[in-house]
């Protein structure tokens, strides 16, 4: 759901996932990682039936503080994810889509299906663009 | 003989500049710029072997002064090339390494639409580097110096859509600029006091001068260009550029420009103890600091970058020991194995789909046997394994360090840095090559392209025999101390083996379930690069902005505006407002006063 606030459930899951990723950054070998990941899962599971929200929130806060203290300074990031080594690498080769309008007809004829669909898309865009009312004085 | 030598050396320049001139042609259709560049560099290499052989045979060195460029009554600036021991050996090595890297780049950057521009930039860099190395006067050296700096900026920021790459390129340029302050100061001092920028005249005229100021300027220049401690953060972030760039610029050629400058002007430094001690201590500190940072990095290119920085520190230590020839030997051998390490990393990265983190590599020994063999050879050469290339230079440096009468602190730091070299090299080999795979199963791993394998094989041959060839053919100019105790003689080897054993034990511990995190404080110090970039990149701009703000508020706003005109205007307005507000809306009072005034005015008229 897309609201302004995170639910408790979402916060707990986010803490779990980032803890797992940081354990993966620390424990390089997979068997060692699996061992500590299972320990972490057990720690989360033993408190999952907690009904008292205040206690649950306090536990979450303690968990976040423990995460902050034990995080890895250079967590493993996938190359294409933000902060990774090849993120935004090919932005300089990306051309804006209006350049397609300037192709020569012989070049456009090489991709007939795409350009036909493109005309329909452009008509749809013209029909559904937001109308800005400039008569604000009325 | 001199004619053959000089003409072949000038021929090298023309061979290298020709592909650049063809790019000026406006009708560029199907020009095989990339292949042509590689052929040009390889033919330039073979041509450059001729002067090298002549030098070996006859010990001919040459100075060509071609053109009087800007000559006034009192000052001459010429274009002159110096082909002595240093440039005659360095040019073939640089051309050999560049040839291999360009051939590798044909494979690595194959899918890049702007590959021709990439090769043009690399070639421009090579020309600038050769200008720097063969310069006989400071002005020409400065042209080459700035040229390599700018090409470094353009090449690091090759993928300019990436914000990190632009930041890294800016960092490289700004840190190099700070070093350039030192070089320009030296050039100004030389112009003012010795009235010349020619190297021979500097040596001849400066016997009676106190050369501390220019030598400190040169040390600052080397600190900037060769990433010594204080101006070092640009080198690891320069790994944002493509791997051929890292291999050529930031390991073999550009970063040694600072050390080369000090080697060229070394006869002036011999007698100045302050300059020598500065170089020694700075180099030792750099070597240890960057080796410490390399211990916990996880990006394969960053580890190799820090190892480059550590070796540059070692070269600086050698300069401080008054042994420029050993520093030069280390430059030459280091070029081979460091470029090979970078090319092997590039091959691995490309095969694993741009994965650069060693935590997600492993078990490559069976899948990429050739690359992992060459990688191991490079690492062994780096640590100074006996009789590979690195041994001849590194061991000689450590022996000279042990037997000279100087700073024990610098000695300790350098020995610890040598053992750390073994530690991070083993760590790298352990995580990348040994063990079981940790990368994704469908990775396009192949090493069946001759462009890759032949180039790395060539550099591997260089890593193995270059040390032997160079030391056998060029006797040392300064007599090395031959007699020392067994401990001192074996110190480098012992320290390296100790580091290797410690690394093996730690690697063994990593795979056991002892605990998740290592000792947090030391790990964080090493991983965050000693917090140096973090502090400096925030502190210095903050200080400047605070200075700017206090200048703007205290000086401009207060003393120039408020004390004078604006303050006056403000007080006047305040008083007027108060007066106005007090007497607002009192109509009856106004009418009464009006009538009173009227009566008072008319009474004398009536009377």
């Amino acid at each position: 759901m897309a609201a302004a606030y995170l639910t408790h459930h979402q916060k707990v899951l986010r803490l779990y996932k980032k803890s797992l990723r940081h354990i993966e950054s620390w424990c390089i070998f997979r068997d060692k990682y699996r061992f500590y990941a299972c320990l972490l899962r057990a720690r989360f599971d033993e408190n999952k039936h907690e009904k008292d929200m205040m206690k649950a929130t306090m536990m979450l806060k303690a968990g976040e503080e423990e995460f902050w203290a034990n995080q890895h300074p250079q967590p493993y990031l996938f190359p294409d994810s933000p902060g990774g080594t090849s993120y935004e690498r090919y932005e300089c080769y990306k051309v804006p889509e209006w350049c397609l309008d300037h192709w020569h007809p012989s070049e456009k004829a090489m991709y007939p299906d795409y350009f036909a669909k493109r005309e329909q898309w452009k008509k749809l865009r013209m029909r559904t663009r937001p109308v800005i009312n400039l008569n604000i004085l009325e | 003989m001199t004619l053959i030598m000089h003409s072949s050396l000038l021929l090298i320049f023309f061979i290298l500049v020709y592909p650049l001139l063809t790019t000026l042609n406006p009708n560029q259709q199907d020009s095989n710029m990339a292949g042509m560049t590689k052929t040009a560099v390889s033919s330039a290499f073979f041509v450059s072997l001729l002067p090298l052989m002549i030098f070996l045979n006859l010990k001919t060195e040459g100075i060509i002064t071609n053109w009087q460029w800007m000559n006034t009554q009192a000052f001459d600036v010429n274009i002159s090339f110096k082909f002595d021991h240093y440039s005659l050996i360095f040019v073939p090595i640089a051309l050999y390494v560049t040839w291999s890297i360009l051939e590798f780049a044909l494979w690595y950057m194959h899918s890049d639409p702007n590959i021709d521009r990439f090769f043009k930039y690399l070639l421009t860099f090579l020309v600038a580097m050769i200008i720097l190395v063969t310069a006989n006067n400071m002005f020409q050296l400065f042209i080459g110096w700035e040229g390599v700096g700018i090409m470094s900026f353009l090449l690091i920021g090759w993928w300019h859509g990436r914000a990190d790459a632009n930041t890294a390129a800016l960092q490289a340029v700004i840190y190099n600029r700070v070093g350039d302050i030192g070089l320009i100061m030296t050039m100004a001092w030389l112009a003012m006091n010795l009235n010349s920028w020619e190297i021979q005249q500097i040596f001849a005229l400066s016997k009676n001068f106190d050369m501390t100021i220019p030598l400190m300027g040169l040390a600052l220049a080397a600190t900037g260009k060769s990433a010594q401690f204080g101006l070092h953060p640009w080198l690891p972030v320069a790994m944002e550029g493509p791997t051929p760039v890292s291999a050529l610029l930031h390991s073999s050629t550009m970063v040694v420009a600072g050390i080369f400058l000090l080697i060229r002007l070394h006869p002036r430094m011999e007698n100045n103890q302050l300059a020598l001690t500065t170089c020694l201590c700075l180099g030792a500190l750099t070597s240890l600091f960057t080796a410490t940072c390399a211990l916990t990095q996880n990006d394969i290119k960053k580890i190799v970058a820090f190892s480059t920085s550590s070796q540059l520190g070692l070269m600086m230590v050698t300069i401080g020991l008054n042994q420029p020839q050993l520093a030069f030997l280390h430059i030459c051998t280091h070029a081979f194995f460091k470029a090979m390490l970078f090319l092997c990393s590039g091959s691995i990265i490309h095969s694993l789909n741009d994965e650069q983190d060693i935590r997600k590599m492993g078990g490559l020994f069976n899948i990429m046997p050739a690359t992992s063999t060459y990688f191991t050879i490079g690492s062994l050469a780096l640590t100074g394994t006996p009789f590979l290339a690195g041994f001849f230079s590194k061991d000689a440096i450590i022996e000279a360090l042990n037997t000279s009468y100087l700073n024990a602190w610098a000695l300790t730091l350098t020995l610890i840095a040598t053992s750390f070299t073994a530690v991070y090299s083993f760590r790298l080999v352990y995580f990348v090559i040994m063990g079981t795979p940790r990368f994704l199963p469908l990775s396009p791993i192949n090493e069946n392209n001759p462009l890759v394998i032949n180039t790395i094989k060539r550099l591997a041959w260089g890593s193995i025999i270059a040390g032997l060839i160079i030391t056998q053919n060029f006797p040392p100019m300064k007599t090395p101390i031959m007699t020392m105790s067994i401990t001192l003689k074996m110190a480098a080897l012992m320290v390296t083996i100790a580091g290797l054993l410690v690394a093996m034990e730690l690697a063994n511990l990593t795979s056991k379930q002892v605990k998740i995190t290592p000792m947090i404080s030391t790990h964080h110090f090493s991983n965050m690069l000693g917090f140096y970039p973090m502090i400096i990149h925030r502190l210095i701009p903050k200080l400047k902005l605070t200075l700017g703000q206090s200048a703007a508020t205290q000086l401009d706003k207060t003393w120039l505006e408020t004390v004078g005109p604006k303050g006056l205007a403000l007080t006047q307005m305040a008083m007027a407002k108060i007066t106005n507000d007090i007497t607002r809306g009192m109509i009856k009072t106004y009418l009464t006063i009006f009538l009173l005034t009227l009566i008072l005015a008319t009474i004398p008229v009536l009377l």
Side-chain angles (χ1 to χ4, degrees), chain B residues 448-477:
Chain B
N448 53 6
N449 197 327
L451 282 174
V452 178
I453 289 303
N454 283 343
T455 58
I456 307 186
K457 203 190 305 184
R458 266 205 301 272
L459 286 177
W461 275 114
S463 305
I464 298 174
I465 58 178
L468 186 64
I469 292 180
I470 300 179
T471 41
Q472 293 304 313
N473 287 320
F474 300 103
M477 289 188 210

Side-chain angles (χ1 to χ4, degrees), chain A residues 24 28 74 76 84 87 93, chain B residues 112 162 355 359-360 527:
Chain A
E24 191 187 7
I28 300 179
Q74 279 181 354
Y76 174 71
Y87 180 62
Y93 301 124
Chain B
D112 195 318
R162 192 177 147 77
E355 178 60 69
R359 293 175 287 199
K360 294 290 178 187
N527 204 331

Side-chain angles (χ1 to χ4, degrees), chain B residues 568-584:
Chain B
L568 201 61
L570 283 169
T571 23
Q572 293 298 323
M573 261 185 56
M575 288 196 291
K577 208 162 179 306
I578 295 171
T579 323
N580 194 18
D581 286 341
I582 290 175
T583 55
R584 249 169 98 106

